[in-house]
Amino acid sequence: MAGTDAATPGKSVTERAFAVLMSFDMAHRQLTLSQISRRSGLPVATTFRLLNHLEAISAVQRDSSGRYAIGSRIWELGILAPTHDVIGMGTRPLLLNLATKSGMMVRVFAGNRGVALCLEEVLANGASAPGSGPGTTLPLGDSAAGHILLGGMTRAARGALPVTPANFTRVEESVAAALERGWAELTDAAGKVEYAVPIRAEGRPPMALSLSAPPNAAIASKPQASRGAVLPELRGAARSLATILATTSHYGVSAPPGVDAATAASAERKISDE
């Protein structure tokens, strides 16, 4: 087969290059050659050759100790995605204002391969929480943001997610409630509450705006505000975000796979009317 490597039969050059890049994640931002080889499942020689090519086009970068990290070119391409370009679109002052008013952590999420992926995170001090930030994920079924994102999917798409029948029923009830009232609320085992509402920007896949307690109580700017106080602010910020993101969107308006456009539009009308 043309374009394959004898050491890794059946895999194209593109697949092997992506295997190298996918070796990196939030917990593994810097890796050695041997670590990348092991995590990608590729021979060391093949990994080294691919890394040299990727480094030449700034897809990866190498420090003085020989450790590799994702390069600037990948970041430049990544933020062009319809959801991931939230960063840099003039949204941060809006998110910071919401974090300051509420005393809570503000995050923007999008659905990604069965999880809620954090695209942006802001605390009242303008930073991200330690060990958190863009790139972290939450389970769709166990987060308020996840319930909002699930509400924009078809029932069939939700049923295809890896959950037990009992959990599916529980999540379906929560998603139905979130769609009915236009917002989701979830309290974890530690008693920390999370609120979320949808961001429905024309031309973009569904996203969720979330307010939750910072992971470390020591970095909270003030006591958490009540539901009645935060929901109007949360809804208003979501509408403003949708306006900004729709204005800067150059993408088609069709819903992505697994997303029910009619359901998404109905959920947005509920929020706009409130």
Side-chain angles (χ1 to χ4, degrees), residues 62-76:
R62 180 170 44 173
D63 64 18
S64 58
S65 67
R67 295 172 67 86
Y68 293 88
I70 291 294
S72 59
R73 187 58 179 155
I74 296 298
W75 177 82
E76 291 169 1

Side-chain angles (χ1 to χ4, degrees), residues 181 183 185 193 195 224-233 235:
R181 63 195 181 197
W183 52 272
E185 177 182 347
V193 66
Y195 304 103
Q224 288 186 51
S226 66
R227 177 201 300 165
V230 301
L231 281 178
E233 297 285 349
R235 289 194 182 103

Side-chain angles (χ1 to χ4, degrees), residues 1-24 33 36-54 59-60 70:
M1 177 179 176
T4 61
D5 190 307
T8 52
K11 286 189 175 183
S12 69
V13 173
T14 302
E15 288 173 317
R16 296 198 310 276
F18 265 90
V20 168
L21 294 172
M22 293 300 290
S23 299
F24 300 92
L33 170 61
I36 296 171
S37 172
R38 183 170 61 254
R39 288 173 61 82
S40 65
L42 298 171
V44 172
T46 300
T47 303
F48 182 68
R49 183 166 63 253
L50 288 168
L51 284 168
N52 282 341
H53 288 305
L54 292 169
V60 298
I70 291 294

